[in-house]
Amino acid sequence: MSAQPKTKGRITPQDIRALKGAAPVVCLTAYTTPVAKLADAECDLVLVGDSLGMVLHGLPSTLGVTLEMMILHGQAVARGLTRACMVVDMPFGSYEEGPRQAFRNAARIMAETGAQAVKLEGGLHMAETAAFLVARGIPVMGHVGLTPQAVNALGGYKLQGRGADADRVLRDAEALAEAGAFAVVLEKIPTELGARISKILPVPTIGIGAGAACDGQVLVIDDLFGLFEDFRPKFVKRYAEFGRDGRAAVAAYAAEVRARSFPAPEHGFSDKAP
Ligand code: KIV
């Protein structure tokens, strides 16, 4: 029996919202058309995350990601999706000045990629902006706890919401839900806090390093694929070892080329007519 939203066509932000208390929300990031096609078969929601700056473009953080990069990758992902709800991250610097700047840039993302929603980072201080977008027809997914765009202010990619700080993260999540967010990502917070927020919030929580009690889970697809051999976040279960297998494939190819044992004849052409 499928636990996916009962919808024939495209899964909408409203369908995701309706999964609260009904079924877990399956979510992955994607940045390219072929990977979007893979994710589309199983995911309720596909996020074009600004993590693409680090995993695809080799940037040291997500701070260098531009609106143009998000739109370009959003367009690529859109070509691979037929059913999953597509959400595009608003990059650093594209929404923090205030609701009007956020609307202008979110509207570009929606119009130029065909996304069904945007995601923005930040809690209480972003609630007004989230409400502004929602009131003007742009569904918003929130993101609280560890917000990577604030890495410099947070002093690193540290666990958030420990001890007395838990109430702050809860307030952040509540403020976004009250502002009309259809779901809220909880990143890198204690398991108990993830469970507490998920119990209280009226919209689905999507966890990443926030424990199994969240209403859904999201992973960076390159982590799920095991693409990076030298970087392994503690909470990430790898479902494949593409990094290791890719390295072995490249080595096998290089060895065959060097030994002049590259397979024939499929890889060459004869000038004799067939
Ligand atoms: O950018 C991203 O991939 C994200 C997820 C990790 C939630 O924001």
Side-chain angles (χ1 to χ4, degrees):
M1 198 185 74
S2 169
Q4 289 175 332
K6 289 182 184 53
T7 169
K8 283 204 185 93
R10 206 60 191 267
I11 298 171
T12 65
Q14 291 81 359
D15 294 326
I16 300 294
R17 164 76 184 79
L19 287 174
K20 179 80 186 185
V25 187
V26 182
C27 175
L28 277 174
T29 68
Y31 319 112
T32 62
T33 308
V35 170
K37 283 184 183 168
L38 291 180
D40 193 46
E42 295 291 341
C43 290
D44 304 312
L45 191 154
V46 168
L47 171 68
V48 186
D50 63 351
S51 49
L52 63 82
M54 298 171 82
V55 300
L56 283 194
H57 293 271
L59 293 172
S61 73
T62 56
L63 300 188
V65 175
T66 64
L67 192 62
E68 280 63 36
M69 287 162 81
M70 295 310 301
I71 289 173
L72 190 70
H73 286 283
Q75 289 168 339
V77 168
R79 287 179 211 117
L81 300 182
T82 57
R83 53 171 299 284
C85 179
M86 173 172 152
V87 180
V88 176
D89 259 345
M90 298 204 66
F92 179 66
S94 72
Y95 61 100
E96 298 89 334
E97 279 173 31
R100 286 174 184 279
Q101 183 212 21
F103 181 80
R104 196 165 51 249
N105 290 324
R108 268 198 70 192
I109 290 175
M110 302 289 284
E112 294 179 36
T113 69
Q116 289 145 291
V118 296
K119 175 166 81 58
L120 45 82
E121 295 184 7
L124 204 48
H125 66 289
M126 275 301 151
E128 185 194 349
T129 295
F132 191 90
L133 298 188
V134 172
R136 285 157 183 77
I138 302 184
V140 171
M141 182 153 95
H143 184 156
V144 304
L146 174 63
T147 47
Q149 292 174 9
V151 60
N152 292 309
L154 297 173
Y157 298 101
K158 295 175 185 162
L159 184 73
Q160 301 294 307
R162 259 201 184 121
D165 191 38
D167 287 346
R168 174 187 64 84
V169 181
L170 170 61
R171 272 198 307 277
D172 280 345
E174 284 182 317
L176 284 165
E178 278 160 26
F182 70 91
V184 178
V185 170
L186 304 179
E187 180 163 355
K188 208 167 179 183
I189 59 172
T191 301
E192 315 78 61
L193 181 58
R196 186 175 154 214
I197 296 176
S198 301
K199 216 169 177 184
I200 293 172
L201 230 59
V203 299
T205 58
I206 314 288
I208 175 161
C214 293
D215 300 303
Q217 298 291 333
V218 59
L219 274 185
V220 170
I221 195 140
D222 297 56
D223 290 337
L224 173 145
F225 283 160
L227 263 168
F228 301 106
E229 294 173 283
D230 48 353
F231 177 68
R232 194 172 200 140
K234 266 198 212 135
F235 55 84
V236 169
K237 176 178 168 190
R238 291 179 173 201
Y239 291 79
E241 291 293 345
F242 285 9
R244 183 199 62 200
D245 296 349
R247 182 187 294 276
V250 170
Y253 163 76
E256 283 191 355
V257 173
R258 289 194 184 105
R260 299 193 183 283
S261 63
F262 197 67
E266 318 80 291
H267 299 279
F269 297 95
S270 166
D271 60 1
K272 294 191 182 83

